[in-house]
Amino acid sequence: EVVMTQSPGTLSVSPGERATLSCRASQSVSSSLAWYQQRPGQAPRLLIYSASTRATGVPARFSGSGSGTEFTLTISSLQSEDVAVYYCQQYNNWPPYTFGQGTKLEIK
Amino acid sequence: EVQLLESGGGLVQPGGSLRLSCAASGFAFSSSAMTWVRQAPGKGLEWVALISANGLGTYYADSVKGRFIISRDNSKNTHYLHMSSLRAEDTALYYCAKGSAASGFDPWGQGTLVTVSS
């Protein structure tokens, strides 16, 4: 099973500043990596797939990078509506599909 | 509009059974793999099961294998999660989602809550 590890657990960023979230896989997942946003009280929403492709309707301030075992989600200019928990997920070696434990993003 | 609507959650005693449903609309359901993901209270996301578009391929997390069965009825644009031998640790919000081997899970329903307690 591929173990996904996210860091940090909680991130506090000022409005308008850049937020950088990390995700590491225990073995290579190529570019088969997705990022999800879960706002408080809501279902998860796909943000990024194939490590760097934005899903339909996702603002351009969200970008993904990486391949193999190291991945990054960057929010270039934090908005209040970006407060959420962000999860990475690998879909290269399945079953099982595996998620990271999440990074909670807060406004400073 | 693409939409997924879960139903069937509720309170069930340990050892009991429950069937969750996920009704889909707005996309080619019969051409899409479908999946279930759960989230225990205050916890992260855990993948549960996936069924291929034609229903011939089914896959499960080890934590539910032998107790849960995923199925689908393409004539009704609906897929199901049959849960049996339920345990307290199965308590969670269960989400259905459209699955893809190439682009993650999208979209997701709003979830249905399953509580296993005596």
Side-chain angles (χ1 to χ4, degrees):
Chain A
E1 171 176 328
V2 180
V3 177
M4 307 301 292
T5 303
Q6 293 185 239
S7 61
T10 302
L11 182 63
S12 295
V13 177
S14 300
E17 295 298 305
R18 178 185 299 263
T20 302
L21 290 69
S22 296
C23 175
R24 173 177 291 179
S26 61
Q27 63 189 79
S28 176
V29 297
S30 186
S31 295
S32 300
L33 191 284
W35 288 95
Y36 299 88
Q37 176 193 63
Q38 187 176 32
R39 291 172 172 151
Q42 295 188 15
R45 165 199 180 197
L46 178 68
L47 291 178
I48 302 283
Y49 63 93
S50 297
S52 61
T53 303
R54 276 191 303 276
T56 303
V58 174
R61 65 180 181 274
F62 290 91
S63 63
S65 63
S67 66
T69 62
E70 300 284 343
F71 301 89
T72 301
L73 174 69
T74 302
I75 308 171
S76 59
S77 177
L78 192 71
Q79 309 295 307
S80 58
E81 61 263 33
D82 300 334
V83 168
V85 179
Y86 292 83
Y87 295 94
C88 62
Q89 177 212 21
Q90 69 83 22
Y91 50 92
N92 189 66
N93 303 317
W94 63 273
Y97 294 92
T98 48
F99 293 89
Q101 78 279 22
T103 290
K104 184 177 182 180
L105 181 58
E106 301 175 336
I107 294 285
K108 187 184 290 185
Chain B
E1 180 191 4
V2 176
Q3 198 166 16
L4 295 171
L5 184 62
E6 303 95 335
S7 61
L11 175 63
V12 60
Q13 292 188 338
S17 300
L18 210 55
R19 188 186 79 164
L20 307 183
S21 300
C22 175
S25 59
F27 65 96
F29 179 79
S30 59
S31 300
S32 303
M34 300 298 296
T35 194
W36 291 93
V37 176
R38 68 185 180 183
Q39 187 169 36
K43 302 297 184 182
L45 302 173
E46 179 189 17
W47 173 75
V48 173
L50 181 137
I51 186 166
S52 63
N54 61 12
L56 296 182
T58 57
Y59 310 87
Y60 300 93
D62 285 346
S63 58
V64 306
K65 200 173 293 182
R67 300 188 298 123
F68 290 11
I69 296 174
I70 189 171
S71 64
R72 66 190 297 157
D73 185 339
N74 285 348
S75 69
K76 296 182 178 178
N77 281 6
T78 300
H79 81 288
Y80 308 95
L81 188 67
H82 308 257
M83 305 185 295
S84 61
S85 301
L86 283 162
R87 307 166 179 166
E89 54 264 37
D90 295 318
T91 294
L93 188 58
Y94 284 73
Y95 295 102
C96 69
K98 176 172 164 286
S100 169
S103 58
F105 299 162
D106 178 55
W108 297 56
Q110 285 305 303
T112 187
L113 182 62
V114 173
T115 303
V116 184
S117 175
S118 54

